[in-house]
Amino acid sequence: MLLTADFFAVTYYSRQADWKYLLKLIPWVTAGLLIALATGNRVSDRTFGVIFAVTLLAGIMIMLWRDLRRKNISIPSQGWFPGIMGLLAGFATMIGNAAGPMMSLYLLSMRLPKTVFIGTGAWFYLTVNIAKVPLHLFVWHTITPQTLVFNLVTAPFIVLGIMGGIYSVKRIPEKAYRILVMAGVTLAAAMLVAKFLL
């Protein structure tokens, strides 16, 4: 299901990607995938959820403070920040296909235009999801004929959703788009907090 959406997104937004941000993430995401593969069964859902939610909320608060106060706070585009984001995104995508909020936070921090934001994210998800296929097939055995049939059934609806997304993005101003993405990441973090701490 994810790869279907990824292929369409990359086809439409392929020229919008900013590869310098992706290349900084690749080694860290790979490390996160391997850590998840080795320890995924030993990390409780609660521990993973709490760490993930706290990181997301902290990042959102920093960006909100910077935007609302108009402070020129520099979020590093190299070094520890891509490292942390990459590790968490790689771990999250392997454990529960949950890299979306973390990747959105990383790209929001880079203040990319909405089409570059989408194109860069599309290539990230496509690359990572392709890399995960052999792991799911031969290590975790979570891709089966039954899941493939389900994917085929849902594919037309995924395409409809993609078409609706492309239509909507064209009509949403840059600032409103950034606010919507930040709201989505905040909601995801809040849901994790509610699930594991309340």
Side-chain angles (χ1 to χ4, degrees):
M1 291 174 66
L2 296 174
L3 283 171
T4 301
D6 295 338
F7 279 119
F8 276 95
V10 163
T11 300
Y12 193 84
Y13 292 104
S14 60
R15 296 183 180 180
Q16 303 293 335
D18 193 329
W19 281 92
K20 69 175 177 286
Y21 295 112
L22 291 179
L23 292 175
K24 293 171 185 175
L25 288 178
I26 288 175
W28 299 104
V29 172
T30 303
L33 286 171
L34 295 175
I35 292 171
L37 197 64
T39 66
N41 293 329
R42 302 186 186 96
V43 177
S44 69
D45 290 343
R46 186 177 189 278
T47 300
F48 168 71
V50 170
I51 294 172
F52 200 62
V54 168
T55 305
L56 288 176
L57 288 173
I60 285 293
M61 285 189 290
I62 291 171
M63 284 192 294
L64 282 174
W65 186 57
R66 182 179 61 175
D67 290 351
L68 296 175
R69 299 278 183 170
R70 296 184 180 180
K71 299 288 185 181
N72 188 24
I73 302 170
S74 177
I75 295 179
S77 61
Q78 52 187 308
W80 63 268
F81 186 71
I84 291 174
M85 295 293 106
L87 278 173
L88 288 172
F91 190 88
T93 194
M94 193 67 211
I95 294 294
N97 292 318
M102 193 61 62
M103 190 61 182
S104 294
L105 180 60
Y106 173 70
L107 295 178
L108 280 175
S109 302
M110 302 300 110
R111 292 188 169 276
L112 302 178
K114 63 181 180 181
T115 53
V116 179
F117 176 97
I118 297 170
T120 306
W123 275 109
F124 170 81
Y125 298 125
L126 177 63
T127 303
V128 170
N129 286 328
I130 288 175
K132 286 160 54 182
V133 168
L135 302 178
H136 280 290
L137 274 172
F138 304 115
V139 180
W140 282 2
H141 309 291
T142 48
I143 296 178
T144 66
Q146 290 77 17
T147 63
L148 291 175
V149 170
F150 180 76
N151 291 337
L152 288 174
V153 171
T154 60
F157 301 99
I158 294 172
V159 174
L160 287 175
I162 292 167
M163 293 172 63
I166 292 172
Y167 176 86
S168 300
V169 166
K170 289 179 179 178
R171 286 154 180 79
I172 301 174
E174 289 283 349
K175 186 175 181 179
Y177 184 82
R178 178 177 173 83
I179 292 171
L180 283 173
V181 174
M182 290 178 69
V185 175
T186 304
L187 179 61
M191 291 174 66
L192 285 172
V193 171
K195 180 178 180 179
F196 295 112
L197 293 181
L198 301 181

